[in-house]
Amino acid sequence: IEEGDESNNDIAIIVPIADKGVRVSTDEAVKRLRTSESTITSWNLELFNSGLRETEAELETEGSIIQYPSGQPVSWSVNLNPTSFTLDPGQTENAILTLLHPASPDPGTYVITAMVTDLDENVTMRLYLTLIVDIIPDIELDTPAGGLYASPVKNTTFSIELTNRGNAPQGYEIELQSPSGWIVGFTDIGATEGATVASTGVLEIDEILTATVQLTPPALPPLAGSGAILPIVVTSQQNPSIEWTEEVFIEIEEAHV
């Protein structure tokens, strides 16, 4: 109790006022998925008791995960840890919400609803968490298993297959990095025959592109039994910072005239 102005002897009584219930929040409600490197996305949640007395609280998810713009539910797993809390007035506790999803889900916006219930006050609060899935590049590149044998004096050809494993139709750039002294190029894709760089064009999901590679040996024939490495680099046209490298081992066979 505090005395007011002594001229009128008013008495001011300070009464603590607080919102009832437990609040849930996060510093990063919106996250983005740009690559196929992870199948887990997590949010750090904070629970705060805004009341004036100790309370019990329960954390859970409400309803299904919804994908937009389709508005359809998806069957992904969500884990919360922990889910039960005892909070003193003004106390804060942390929890983690973990979403398990495919490596390359369909592009779109996915919304998860986290809900905390103050069991003593019978008050609930919802927090909407969002995962934005971009167009994700991903490939499967098939090259000769175990490498290949090449003639030291004649051209050698082999095939590669590139499959779009991304979550949407998209294109890729394929580059052949010639070993020292060798001439390497595509015979059936690229701007010109023998090109070392070629575009796949737009590939549908799971569409396969087959391309033929030709090897021309050095002017000075390499020794039989020696080897060389042919790196094949694939770059996403959707996100050029993403690339894959496959090395093809070339073993030189005996010359057959």
Side-chain angles (χ1 to χ4, degrees), residues 35 159 176 187:
T35 71
S159 295
L176 306 172
T187 64

Side-chain angles (χ1 to χ4, degrees), residues 68-176:
Y68 294 96
S70 70
Q72 297 298 311
V74 294
S75 300
W76 297 349
S77 296
V78 178
N79 294 324
L80 281 166
N81 185 40
T83 57
S84 298
F85 304 84
T86 300
L87 297 168
D88 290 328
Q91 183 180 354
T92 297
E93 288 289 349
N94 296 314
I96 297 177
L97 184 147
T98 302
L99 175 65
L100 307 178
H101 52 74
S104 297
D106 291 340
T109 299
Y110 297 79
V111 178
I112 308 103
T113 304
M115 182 174 69
V116 63
T117 301
D118 186 321
L119 300 177
D120 292 339
E121 297 290 350
N122 194 27
V123 175
T124 61
M125 178 184 173
R126 291 169 179 80
L127 175 66
Y128 299 100
L129 305 172
T130 301
L131 177 65
I132 298 175
V133 178
D134 294 331
I135 293 178
I136 297 176
D138 198 13
I139 66 160
E140 181 180 329
L141 181 62
D142 291 326
T143 59
L148 61 94
Y149 289 100
S151 168
V153 293
K154 298 180 180 180
N155 292 343
T156 301
T157 60
F158 66 95
S159 295
I160 63 172
E161 289 186 346
L162 186 146
T163 306
N164 175 24
R165 296 300 189 194
N167 64 352
Q170 57 194 294
Y172 302 88
E173 186 177 89
I174 311 174
E175 180 185 1
L176 306 172

Side-chain angles (χ1 to χ4, degrees), residues 11 92 109 193 206 231 235 249:
I11 297 177
T92 297
T109 299
E193 184 173 354
D206 294 332
T235 303
F249 179 71

Side-chain angles (χ1 to χ4, degrees), residues 10 47 152 171:
D10 285 343
L47 282 76

Side-chain angles (χ1 to χ4, degrees), residues 213-245:
V213 178
Q214 179 173 278
L215 304 173
T216 300
L220 180 62
L223 296 175
S226 62
I229 299 293
L230 167 61
I232 301 177
V233 180
V234 180
T235 303
S236 163
Q237 293 176 345
Q238 177 70 27
N239 185 348
S241 66
I242 298 177
E243 65 178 31
W244 303 260
T245 300

